[in-house]
Amino acid sequence: MVVVDLDIIGDLMKLRRRRPLIHHIMNFVVMTDSANVVLALGASPIMAHALEELEDIASMADSIYINIGTLDMLWVESMVQLARIAGRYSKPLLLDPVGAGASKLRIEVSKKILEVGSVSIVKGNAGEMMALAGFKGLVRGVDSIIEEAFEPLEKLSREYNIVSMATGRVDYVANGEKLAAIEGGSELFKYTTGTGCMLGSVLASLMAINRDYFKTSIEASLIFKRAGEIAEAKSGRNPATFRLELINALHNINLYSLDTSKIKILK
Amino acid sequence: MVVVDLDIIGDLMKLRRRRPLIHHIMNFVVMTDSANVVLALGASPIMAHALEELEDIASMADSIYINIGTLDMLWVESMVQLARIAGRYSKPLLLDPVGAGASKLRIEVSKKILEVGSVSIVKGNAGEMMALAGFKGLVRGVDSIIEEAFEPLEKLSREYNIVSMATGRVDYVANGEKLAAIEGGSELFKYTTGTGCMLGSVLASLMAINRDYFKTSIEASLIFKRAGEIAEAKSGRNPATFRLELINALHNINLYSLDTSKIKILK
Amino acid sequence: MVVVDLDIIGDLMKLRRRRPLIHHIMNFVVMTDSANVVLALGASPIMAHALEELEDIASMADSIYINIGTLDMLWVESMVQLARIAGRYSKPLLLDPVGAGASKLRIEVSKKILEVGSVSIVKGNAGEMMALAGFKGLVRGVDSIIEEAFEPLEKLSREYNIVSMATGRVDYVANGEKLAAIEGGSELFKYTTGTGCMLGSVLASLMAINRDYFKTSIEASLIFKRAGEIAEAKSGRNPATFRLELINALHNINLYSLDTSKIKILK
């Protein structure tokens, strides 16, 4: 029942041919893994947060990823400034509101970045997206496909005119009109830090190639979940081996089949 | 001759069931490994240092770990503030005075944090603990069980009314009255960065479950040394493989026997 | 046609015996890998950037490595100050102008550090070295031995009276008089983040042992390229496995032959 027209392998081949530059403001915990994910896919990462060089680098970049995972006020200033520059140069911009809901600061900063008006996609786990959309209550049960999960996403998509994505056992993507759910992945994601952030790096890399952000979100989700399945098969109950095999699998993802029947278009 | 009553497997099972939140201010070098260690054990890590969100996060956390490994004055302000919040909310607090002795700054900052009065356990390598306790002289020979090794620990424990732990080929734990030494571990620890900090993350995770800190220090030591032995057996002379297998072993530690005869209660 | 007299194994054995302390101001992306590279070789790393402790630590260190990969104005102040302290204490100092050319800031900061007058070796990839030397034009074709590649290196070496090194498929080393090219290495370097920075950590470690910096640059290049070859043979098309095996190979590099015929002295 796939009604989106995807050319995942085509997009991956373009990525490898063009080797786009992906400008990250990434948290300290996942910087290394994110850089390695981008390289494994065939793109080129740069991490830069100094106010004095943001414009030089962002203007050269093919897409931009702002991840607030280990923010402080100096970095927040750079994040907001980078969002402005992304708008000025019409660059694809991904926002990851890591930990939204864990502190008021993270909600405020995420909204401040969204309000700049240049974000293309906002992606977080289900709890973060609910907190950002102002939905209360614990996030339980969103790991199965339930239409309620779309409410906060649709709200965010309509409010900011962007694509919204909530990750978990099932990933959800909304653009204000359409809704998709993507199944698959691995139980070991939850024993490995930064898997959501690494998915963000996959997504930011694809955004440099294909500006249909509803499609690129679905593609990134499917690729990342498939890489997780391949990695799990190679690592048993070993989370550190899983993390290593996840990056290997992303590098070799073109050698594996991608089962698009895992994508459900719900609306 | 074990006279402490430990329920290590019970504490590990509680940890996995409750999935406690462990708030870290961790150094840049070991942030990723520490987050992965906490996840591998079954707990949940958060790294946060912004003054503006410390209280939101620490008040939700089940234990707190301050590691000064890559400090600067901005981060120091957050460390001291986090120690104050830990006290206000009666949270278990672990301090790791990384590099104490390498600079006056690190001694001063460690003491400033201790003087807040909320630290539950201070843990460093033998040299760091001697420097912190004001003992001069090179740290040689503390890698065998010698009662002199306890002097600086007892001094710190009594001065601040806390548990003190010195790590090395033998780990030592003191609480001002009792003294324990734990043997075991791997030669490869010294070829891998941040093993002391990772032990800290194991300890902070257990502190969320069991507030008898003399016991949790011994438990963390025994678990970490055993994981090192398992990892060494799987990695030969290869330190990067060892680091990976160390995290795998922590995840699966319940599958291996823990030999409590490695614990010597000396007093 | 090797006309430099190298004792690589001798220098590695001295390194392991003396366990020199290597003070890094390293970028966030590669801090962990750099620390592990230094430990794998047998030296001892310390990462420290706080102005208040730079002198305490640098004065104890056996060599110093400044890498500007994730700079901001606070860190830049520490980098320049550390260069001054290195001069005052006559410590070997390596500068890695990561991303020079990607922003004006990075060129300015690199020059500011060079102008302190205490840098012993400046090392970057071919593009960074060309940008730093003020050469325009895309860097293409420098991956084969071409004498033109030496122009920017010779300019930098003469201007600052230092050793210059440009890395790539072929590494080039110049000291203002002599010129060397070193072949070998692995295609997988380009799919792994921070390999240039890790080579920097190998080089900084050797600089603590042998202050003939033209020689230590050649030695570090040969060791690192050989480790890449060994790692590639063990990891197939898997970049994350390659990164792990690279560090393993550096630890065991004395077990493998080092083919000095890969060194071409061109002048």
Side-chain angles (χ1 to χ4, degrees), chain C residues 37 41 165 167 171 182 184-186 189 193-203 206 217-231 242 246-247 249-250 253 258:
Chain C
V37 159
L41 276 182
M165 183 174 186
T167 59
D171 288 350
I182 304 96
S186 166
F189 280 139
T193 198
T195 52
C197 307
M198 288 185 241
L199 164 59
S201 287
V202 173
L203 178 49
L206 287 167
S217 298
I218 294 171
E219 287 184 6
S221 168
L222 196 69
I223 287 169
F224 199 74
K225 282 182 173 295
R226 184 72 179 112
E229 292 163 4
I230 297 160
F242 174 76
L246 183 62
I247 293 177
L250 286 169
I253 195 70
L258 288 162

Side-chain angles (χ1 to χ4, degrees), chain C residues 245-258:
Chain C
E245 293 295 353
L246 183 62
I247 293 177
N248 287 340
L250 286 169
H251 185 62
N252 295 308
I253 195 70
N254 56 308
L255 306 179
Y256 297 93
S257 63
L258 288 162

Side-chain angles (χ1 to χ4, degrees), chain A residues 26-52:
Chain A
M26 174 53 55
N27 68 70
F28 299 126
V29 183
V30 198
M31 268 197 203
T32 315
D33 288 333
S34 267
N36 278 321
V37 159
V38 170
L39 287 167
L41 277 181
S44 186
I46 189 161
M47 309 280 155
H49 67 285
L51 276 173
E52 294 77 6

Side-chain angles (χ1 to χ4, degrees), chain C residues 108-235:
Chain C
E108 285 163 18
V109 167
S110 301
K111 287 192 174 167
K112 204 166 171 184
I113 295 168
L114 283 168
E115 280 155 17
V116 169
S118 59
V119 172
S120 317
I121 304 179
V122 59
K123 173 207 73 68
N125 66 34
E128 289 157 357
M129 298 307 282
M130 287 185 72
L132 192 58
F135 283 62
K136 288 202 197 319
L138 277 177
V139 187
R140 302 269 183 226
V142 253
D143 277 343
S144 53
I145 297 183
I146 44 172
E147 298 217 6
E148 286 83 347
F150 288 120
E151 253 188 275
L153 295 189
E154 288 204 304
K155 185 176 172 223
L156 287 167
S157 286
R158 287 176 185 163
E159 189 167 348
Y160 297 104
N161 192 27
I162 56 179
V163 169
S164 299
M165 183 174 186
T167 59
R169 207 166 296 176
V170 177
D171 288 350
Y172 301 92
V173 181
N175 68 355
E177 295 177 11
K178 285 183 283 188
L179 296 170
I182 304 96
E183 296 179 312
S186 166
E187 278 303 298
L188 284 166
F189 280 139
K190 74 176 177 190
Y191 293 115
T192 309
T193 198
T195 52
C197 307
M198 288 185 241
L199 164 59
S201 287
V202 173
L203 178 49
S205 300
L206 287 167
M207 290 164 76
I209 298 303
N210 184 340
R211 292 196 178 194
D212 182 331
Y213 300 128
F214 185 70
K215 286 187 185 172
T216 44
S217 298
I218 294 171
E219 287 184 6
S221 168
L222 196 69
I223 287 169
F224 199 74
K225 282 182 173 295
R226 184 72 179 112
E229 292 163 4
I230 297 160
E232 184 182 310
K234 295 193 174 179
S235 49

Side-chain angles (χ1 to χ4, degrees), chain A residues 246-264:
Chain A
L246 183 63
I247 293 178
N248 287 340
L250 287 169
H251 185 62
N252 295 309
I253 195 71
N254 55 310
L255 305 179
Y256 297 92
S257 64
L258 288 163
D259 177 4
T260 52
S261 78
K262 302 240 171 144
I263 306 165
K264 314 290 176 195

